[in-house]
Amino acid sequence: DVNKISRKEWLAYIHSDEELELTNGYESKIPGIENTFQNIPGFCNWSGHSIMKGDSQPWFDYRDGYISAKNPDDEVIRKMINIAETLNAKVQGDDGEFYDETYLSNQKENTTQTHNLKRKAWWKFW
């Protein structure tokens, strides 16, 4: 399929980005059960995220020509957009919506407006 990213392209990108670590899978940790490694060729961790939660890092999963991330925040979406620009690809959400620099600009503007509203005295409305 013309629209898919080849594994070769994805692996080349990972090797060119020092924030990405190719792990080809992840370890499942279930209390009371032996840890198991889930083998997923093209799976990588992203060390460049500003907030790490516990020992988990944001990750990117390669399958069938597509790269995905679970529950991406704005910072992960920004990284995905940068990757997509390099690979001549698009970032699309679960509901079919597309993400690009315009989306990020709107998010930043909305965050600034929300922050400014919080700084106003509670009795003022306009």
mmCIF file of all heavy atoms in Angstrom, residues 70-89:
data_model
loop_
_atom_site.group_PDB
_atom_site.id
_atom_site.type_symbol
_atom_site.label_atom_id
_atom_site.label_comp_id
_atom_site.label_asym_id
_atom_site.label_seq_id
_atom_site.Cartn_x
_atom_site.Cartn_y
_atom_site.Cartn_z
ATOM 1 N N LYS A 70 -0.368 5.061 22.614
ATOM 2 C CA LYS A 70 -1.579 4.941 23.423
ATOM 3 C C LYS A 70 -1.760 6.186 24.285
ATOM 4 O O LYS A 70 -0.830 6.636 24.946
ATOM 5 C CB LYS A 70 -1.493 3.705 24.321
ATOM 6 C CG LYS A 70 -2.766 3.438 25.074
ATOM 7 C CD LYS A 70 -2.691 2.134 25.818
ATOM 8 C CE LYS A 70 -4.007 1.869 26.527
ATOM 9 N NZ LYS A 70 -3.964 0.628 27.263
ATOM 10 N N ASN A 71 -2.960 6.745 24.264
ATOM 11 C CA ASN A 71 -3.327 7.918 25.050
ATOM 12 C C ASN A 71 -2.292 9.048 24.959
ATOM 13 O O ASN A 71 -1.774 9.509 25.970
ATOM 14 C CB ASN A 71 -3.538 7.537 26.524
ATOM 15 C CG ASN A 71 -4.615 6.507 26.693
ATOM 16 O OD1 ASN A 71 -5.631 6.534 26.017
ATOM 17 N ND2 ASN A 71 -4.390 5.563 27.590
ATOM 18 N N PRO A 72 -1.993 9.524 23.747
ATOM 19 C CA PRO A 72 -0.962 10.557 23.610
ATOM 20 C C PRO A 72 -1.418 11.903 24.170
ATOM 21 O O PRO A 72 -2.549 12.319 23.957
ATOM 22 C CB PRO A 72 -0.755 10.647 22.097
ATOM 23 C CG PRO A 72 -2.065 10.221 21.526
ATOM 24 C CD PRO A 72 -2.594 9.174 22.463
ATOM 25 N N ASP A 73 -0.535 12.554 24.911
ATOM 26 C CA ASP A 73 -0.800 13.921 25.347
ATOM 27 C C ASP A 73 -0.289 14.858 24.245
ATOM 28 O O ASP A 73 0.197 14.402 23.207
ATOM 29 C CB ASP A 73 -0.146 14.206 26.704
ATOM 30 C CG ASP A 73 1.373 14.049 26.706
ATOM 31 O OD1 ASP A 73 1.992 14.005 25.620
ATOM 32 O OD2 ASP A 73 1.946 13.964 27.805
ATOM 33 N N ASP A 74 -0.399 16.165 24.460
ATOM 34 C CA ASP A 74 0.004 17.126 23.421
ATOM 35 C C ASP A 74 1.478 16.988 23.048
ATOM 36 O O ASP A 74 1.853 17.156 21.898
ATOM 37 C CB ASP A 74 -0.289 18.563 23.864
ATOM 38 C CG ASP A 74 -1.763 18.901 23.802
ATOM 39 O OD1 ASP A 74 -2.515 18.175 23.113
ATOM 40 O OD2 ASP A 74 -2.176 19.884 24.439
ATOM 41 N N GLU A 75 2.312 16.660 24.030
ATOM 42 C CA GLU A 75 3.742 16.526 23.749
ATOM 43 C C GLU A 75 4.017 15.316 22.856
ATOM 44 O O GLU A 75 4.825 15.381 21.932
ATOM 45 C CB GLU A 75 4.505 16.398 25.071
ATOM 46 C CG GLU A 75 5.972 16.628 24.938
ATOM 47 C CD GLU A 75 6.671 16.701 26.287
ATOM 48 O OE1 GLU A 75 6.002 16.825 27.337
ATOM 49 O OE2 GLU A 75 7.912 16.625 26.280
ATOM 50 N N VAL A 76 3.311 14.215 23.098
ATOM 51 C CA VAL A 76 3.462 13.027 22.251
ATOM 52 C C VAL A 76 2.904 13.310 20.859
ATOM 53 O O VAL A 76 3.509 12.943 19.856
ATOM 54 C CB VAL A 76 2.786 11.786 22.882
ATOM 55 C CG1 VAL A 76 2.799 10.600 21.933
ATOM 56 C CG2 VAL A 76 3.470 11.417 24.198
ATOM 57 N N ILE A 77 1.776 13.995 20.791
ATOM 58 C CA ILE A 77 1.201 14.351 19.486
ATOM 59 C C ILE A 77 2.181 15.229 18.712
ATOM 60 O O ILE A 77 2.390 15.042 17.519
ATOM 61 C CB ILE A 77 -0.176 15.031 19.640
ATOM 62 C CG1 ILE A 77 -1.201 14.023 20.173
ATOM 63 C CG2 ILE A 77 -0.649 15.620 18.308
ATOM 64 C CD1 ILE A 77 -2.531 14.629 20.572
ATOM 65 N N ARG A 78 2.826 16.180 19.392
ATOM 66 C CA ARG A 78 3.815 17.035 18.737
ATOM 67 C C ARG A 78 4.955 16.185 18.166
ATOM 68 O O ARG A 78 5.392 16.390 17.029
ATOM 69 C CB ARG A 78 4.366 18.064 19.721
ATOM 70 C CG ARG A 78 5.359 19.034 19.106
ATOM 71 C CD ARG A 78 5.808 20.114 20.078
ATOM 72 N NE ARG A 78 4.693 21.004 20.395
ATOM 73 C CZ ARG A 78 4.066 21.054 21.580
ATOM 74 N NH1 ARG A 78 4.441 20.274 22.553
ATOM 75 N NH2 ARG A 78 3.068 21.880 21.770
ATOM 76 N N LYS A 79 5.429 15.213 18.943
ATOM 77 C CA LYS A 79 6.496 14.326 18.472
ATOM 78 C C LYS A 79 6.009 13.530 17.262
ATOM 79 O O LYS A 79 6.739 13.364 16.283
ATOM 80 C CB LYS A 79 6.939 13.390 19.604
ATOM 81 C CG LYS A 79 8.035 12.421 19.215
ATOM 82 C CD LYS A 79 9.340 13.128 18.959
ATOM 83 C CE LYS A 79 10.481 12.138 18.758
ATOM 84 N NZ LYS A 79 11.754 12.816 18.501
ATOM 85 N N MET A 80 4.772 13.043 17.322
ATOM 86 C CA MET A 80 4.214 12.278 16.207
ATOM 87 C C MET A 80 4.131 13.132 14.948
ATOM 88 O O MET A 80 4.419 12.656 13.849
ATOM 89 C CB MET A 80 2.838 11.718 16.587
ATOM 90 C CG MET A 80 2.898 10.678 17.689
ATOM 91 S SD MET A 80 1.268 10.173 18.264
ATOM 92 C CE MET A 80 0.797 9.071 16.948
ATOM 93 N N ILE A 81 3.747 14.392 15.096
ATOM 94 C CA ILE A 81 3.666 15.301 13.945
ATOM 95 C C ILE A 81 5.057 15.505 13.347
ATOM 96 O O ILE A 81 5.222 15.474 12.121
ATOM 97 C CB ILE A 81 3.021 16.646 14.346
ATOM 98 C CG1 ILE A 81 1.530 16.430 14.643
ATOM 99 C CG2 ILE A 81 3.210 17.695 13.264
ATOM 100 C CD1 ILE A 81 0.845 17.612 15.307
ATOM 101 N N ASN A 82 6.068 15.673 14.194
ATOM 102 C CA ASN A 82 7.439 15.841 13.693
ATOM 103 C C ASN A 82 7.914 14.598 12.944
ATOM 104 O O ASN A 82 8.536 14.704 11.888
ATOM 105 C CB ASN A 82 8.397 16.165 14.845
ATOM 106 C CG ASN A 82 8.176 17.547 15.404
ATOM 107 O OD1 ASN A 82 7.665 18.437 14.735
ATOM 108 N ND2 ASN A 82 8.528 17.734 16.652
ATOM 109 N N ILE A 83 7.610 13.419 13.502
ATOM 110 C CA ILE A 83 7.975 12.165 12.832
ATOM 111 C C ILE A 83 7.252 12.069 11.492
ATOM 112 O O ILE A 83 7.850 11.735 10.467
ATOM 113 C CB ILE A 83 7.649 10.944 13.717
ATOM 114 C CG1 ILE A 83 8.544 10.922 14.960
ATOM 115 C CG2 ILE A 83 7.793 9.643 12.926
ATOM 116 C CD1 ILE A 83 8.117 9.901 16.007
ATOM 117 N N ALA A 84 5.958 12.367 11.501
ATOM 118 C CA ALA A 84 5.146 12.271 10.288
ATOM 119 C C ALA A 84 5.672 13.196 9.190
ATOM 120 O O ALA A 84 5.698 12.824 8.016
ATOM 121 C CB ALA A 84 3.690 12.585 10.602
ATOM 122 N N GLU A 85 6.092 14.402 9.562
ATOM 123 C CA GLU A 85 6.639 15.333 8.559
ATOM 124 C C GLU A 85 7.873 14.740 7.895
ATOM 125 O O GLU A 85 8.034 14.836 6.684
ATOM 126 C CB GLU A 85 6.960 16.678 9.211
ATOM 127 C CG GLU A 85 5.725 17.487 9.537
ATOM 128 C CD GLU A 85 6.034 18.774 10.286
ATOM 129 O OE1 GLU A 85 7.203 18.998 10.680
ATOM 130 O OE2 GLU A 85 5.099 19.560 10.487
ATOM 131 N N THR A 86 8.726 14.107 8.686
ATOM 132 C CA THR A 86 9.942 13.509 8.140
ATOM 133 C C THR A 86 9.617 12.329 7.224
ATOM 134 O O THR A 86 10.251 12.143 6.188
ATOM 135 C CB THR A 86 10.868 13.035 9.283
ATOM 136 O OG1 THR A 86 11.187 14.165 10.105
ATOM 137 C CG2 THR A 86 12.145 12.423 8.751
ATOM 138 N N LEU A 87 8.613 11.544 7.599
ATOM 139 C CA LEU A 87 8.255 10.342 6.835
ATOM 140 C C LEU A 87 7.189 10.611 5.769
ATOM 141 O O LEU A 87 6.681 9.676 5.154
ATOM 142 C CB LEU A 87 7.770 9.242 7.788
ATOM 143 C CG LEU A 87 8.797 8.731 8.796
ATOM 144 C CD1 LEU A 87 8.159 7.725 9.739
ATOM 145 C CD2 LEU A 87 9.986 8.117 8.080
ATOM 146 N N ASN A 88 6.829 11.891 5.579
ATOM 147 C CA ASN A 88 5.785 12.258 4.629
ATOM 148 C C ASN A 88 4.491 11.482 4.918
ATOM 149 O O ASN A 88 3.900 10.858 4.037
ATOM 150 C CB ASN A 88 6.259 12.027 3.186
ATOM 151 C CG ASN A 88 5.393 12.756 2.192
ATOM 152 O OD1 ASN A 88 4.781 13.771 2.517
ATOM 153 N ND2 ASN A 88 5.304 12.221 0.986
ATOM 154 N N ALA A 89 4.100 11.522 6.191
ATOM 155 C CA ALA A 89 2.922 10.787 6.649
ATOM 156 C C ALA A 89 1.955 11.752 7.336
ATOM 157 O O ALA A 89 2.203 12.957 7.394
ATOM 158 C CB ALA A 89 3.366 9.690 7.624
#
